[in-house]
Amino acid sequence: MTRHLITSAIPYINGIKHLGNLIGSQLPADLFARYQRARGNEVLFLCATDEHGTPAELAAAKAGKPVDEYCAEMHAVQARIAEGFRLSFDHFGRSSSPQNHALTQHFAGRLQEAGLIKEVSEKQVYSNTDGRFLPDRYIEGTCPNCAYDKARGDQCENCTKQLDPTDLVEPRSAISGSTDLEVRETKHLFLRQSELKDDLNAWIDSKKDWPILTTSIAKKWLHDGDGLRDRGITRDLHWGIPVKNGTKDWPGMEGKVFYVWFDAPIEYIACAGEWAAANGLSDADWESWWRTDKGAHDVQYTQFMGKDNVPFHTLSFPATILGSGEPWKMVDHLKSFNYLNYDGGQFSTSQGRGIFMDQALELLPPDYWRWWLLSHAPESSDSEFTWENFQQSVNKDLADVLGNFVSRVTKFCRSKFDETVPAGGAYGDVENALIADLQKRLGQYQEHMDAIEVRKAAAELRAIWTAGNEYLQTVAPWSTFKEDPEQAAAQIRLALNLVAFYATLSAPFIPDASATLLETMNATDAAWPTDVAASLGQLPVGHAFTVPEVSFAKISDEQREDWQERFAGQRA
RNA sequence: GGCGCGGUAGCUCAGUUGGUUAGAGCGAUCGACUCAUAAUCGAUAGGUCGGGAGUUCAAGUCUCCCCCACGCCA
């Protein structure tokens, strides 16, 4: 038995995520977690909300709520939606948790002790009206280059010129519109990542099985230009983890907080602490997943994330861990995804373009989205969502190939025999050939799942479903029945067992449908198959079942056109 | 402008270290079947693998140049 620690990139607290975000990390992570559990392995699957930073503060202000209250509410919303998609987190934590406060401060203290922190004085724009320092992109003004009047402090969106806030003509706060701004001197902590460049490089080189996408991004950041740059890990904000040196105050850093990119990945670890606390477990229980000196030596740690998150997971977070000098578990396998595009453009949170998780659940059951997204996961390149493709794939795969198989088998049995597994006849060459074929396909399916080749696994699963239809077509029990009812009984007995077999194998992809099928087949205790022949004898003669309702209703052309139109514009 | 990932059948995508007639699913056409959600099964037709040059006995697969899309950075 292997112990699998699995984390998904933690979504930002501000608003509801779209389907591109979902397939970029949470959903494939869930697929892997469910699969490993089904194989009998021990799994700790963690995710959380990333709650600190200016965007959260501003969103809270816009909603007219204190930021902690806003985050608590949004966390509940995201948790409910995650449940809607059947994301099987062992714990869905919060980066604002007490555990993460303590751990983030602990890491900062260790890094300081190791001489990896330096203090840097910077000049930043302060808004007197807002009573806060403004990040570059929250300063607006007229572009000195093209005279566009809504240029941001980091870049002009109109002419794409990169800017410094001080370049802007008539700069103003993007938050309040105030022009009462001044440049102030402020002190911040920087993590000397550059000191760890060789360690990081060696560590990345030791990862032979990482995808090209992952290593190429990491290497670029490591070696491009002057190489890995030191990064500020503190901010002048109210909402965040107070800067401390372990449990002690940090002289000169009063009133400042750690920057989100520093505390967010640490939440992966803190989340395990939250999980333990929420389940009445001890520190030793969660540390056995994270400390290689306390039991985590045999843990396989897999991270899932979109490609934009790769640098933080290959460089920043490892730098924090390596720099601490403590025996924390580091990632073994890092699975990154490209982007899912929407109807010829990008999904966009800021522009409200595409389909958002809450909206998707209003339209269709989670299995529909899970199946399409996973079977079209953007693994090797960006991929494309179109309503036509979605409708065709879901109707064909789920309704026609799988759903209809269940339907034809159970209904045939009911009409010719009854609602129990019929007796009589025996398996012959055709059946043995099918079993051999399925045994081989099961092996390939598992190989793809073990390697987290999501699309390939989906394709193999679909081929396994198809094999059932091929079998029925070959032996034609409806014809057999006229000449030899006993033989027809044997054929349908096998087919009924296939339904349970399929439900078990499909569970990681489509958990709800799988559970429903197992219930109707009265086989909720079905185990993951190893020997196909044995597994297909699981439902014995006389075993009662019920004929299920339509497992997957098809998406009609009218529905598709309606949705296509509804989601063509921006989210209200 | 620099760098990065891509550009393979109508669509969504596979193509290991260069090697026989370039693959899958969907869609299309034809046929079979009628148990089933007008479902299923089979067969066929579709590609000068973005363009050009080069290396090689042999290139979608390596090298160079160009074009296009996307992303990151200055």
Side-chain angles (χ1 to χ4, degrees), chain A residues 331-363:
Chain A
V331 66
D332 294 300
H333 196 201
L334 195 153
K335 177 79 180 178
S336 60
F337 288 83
N338 287 283
Y339 294 141
L340 178 68
N341 289 319
Y342 177 74
D343 250 346
Q346 291 185 341
F347 275 88
S348 167
T349 303
S350 57
Q351 292 172 34
R353 184 168 195 280
I355 310 163
F356 290 76
M357 285 170 72
D358 56 337
Q359 299 172 319
L361 289 176
E362 285 164 18
L363 303 184

Side-chain angles (χ1 to χ4, degrees), chain A residues 30-249:
Chain A
D30 180 69
L31 178 78
F32 190 59
R34 284 177 179 275
Y35 168 72
Q36 292 299 349
R37 288 192 198 107
R39 295 300 307 275
N41 291 320
E42 196 182 344
V43 168
L44 184 64
F45 177 27
L46 302 173
C47 191
T49 40
D50 175 13
E51 306 194 353
H52 296 133
T54 309
E57 286 188 330
L58 296 182
K62 194 175 171 190
K65 290 174 180 161
V67 64
D68 54 346
E69 197 177 300
Y70 171 81
C71 286
E73 280 177 22
M74 286 310 297
H75 178 268
V77 168
Q78 292 210 23
R80 193 170 63 242
I81 293 173
E83 209 174 296
F85 276 95
R86 306 296 179 255
L87 301 176
S88 59
F89 307 132
D90 288 298
H91 190 73
F92 187 56
R94 305 180 57 185
S95 69
S96 61
S97 68
Q99 287 86 349
N100 199 36
H101 276 239
L103 201 55
T104 297
Q105 290 163 345
H106 166 81
F107 271 109
R110 292 289 305 184
L111 292 166
Q112 165 75 345
E113 227 171 285
L116 291 168
I117 301 282
K118 65 180 176 188
E119 293 187 8
V120 174
S121 269
E122 293 184 313
K123 289 192 166 76
Q124 281 195 358
V125 174
Y126 186 86
S127 165
N128 288 309
T129 307
D130 297 304
R132 63 188 297 160
F133 282 94
L134 297 175
D136 291 355
R137 62 189 166 124
Y138 287 108
I139 303 163
E140 282 182 354
T142 301
C143 176
N145 188 47
C146 70
Y148 178 63
D149 67 354
K150 284 181 185 140
R152 298 193 320 198
D154 55 348
Q155 183 179 37
C156 173
E157 284 183 347
N158 189 48
C159 68
T160 75
K161 186 177 173 59
Q162 299 286 317
L163 302 169
D164 272 330
T166 48
D167 295 337
L168 294 171
V169 180
E170 293 174 10
R172 60 183 183 273
S173 162
I175 299 168
S176 61
S178 167
T179 55
D180 184 11
L181 307 179
E182 63 182 58
V183 175
R184 285 193 188 177
E185 186 96 2
T186 180
K187 199 165 64 175
H188 283 294
L189 301 182
F190 274 62
L191 173 60
R192 301 171 66 196
Q193 296 185 126
S194 53
E195 293 291 310
L196 294 161
K197 183 179 168 182
D198 292 341
D199 290 342
L200 289 167
N201 195 44
W203 176 67
I204 290 165
D205 281 341
S206 74
K207 302 297 177 189
K208 302 298 182 197
D209 57 346
W210 283 10
I212 300 169
L213 181 69
T214 301
T215 44
S216 70
I217 292 173
K219 288 281 184 175
K220 180 185 177 284
W221 281 60
L222 208 48
H223 301 302
D224 206 34
D226 299 333
L228 192 61
R229 290 183 214 169
D230 296 339
R231 294 198 65 168
I233 60 167
T234 56
R235 286 291 185 272
D236 290 293
L237 290 179
H238 302 296
W239 176 237
I241 297 176
V243 176
K244 283 196 172 188
N245 182 344
T247 54
K248 301 190 295 284
D249 288 339

Side-chain angles (χ1 to χ4, degrees), chain A residues 404-413 472 492 495-496 499:
Chain A
N404 182 56
F405 175 78
V406 175
S407 207
R408 64 195 299 203
V409 170
T410 52
K411 287 181 182 170
F412 180 82
C413 186
L472 285 186
I492 219 66
L496 286 166
V499 173

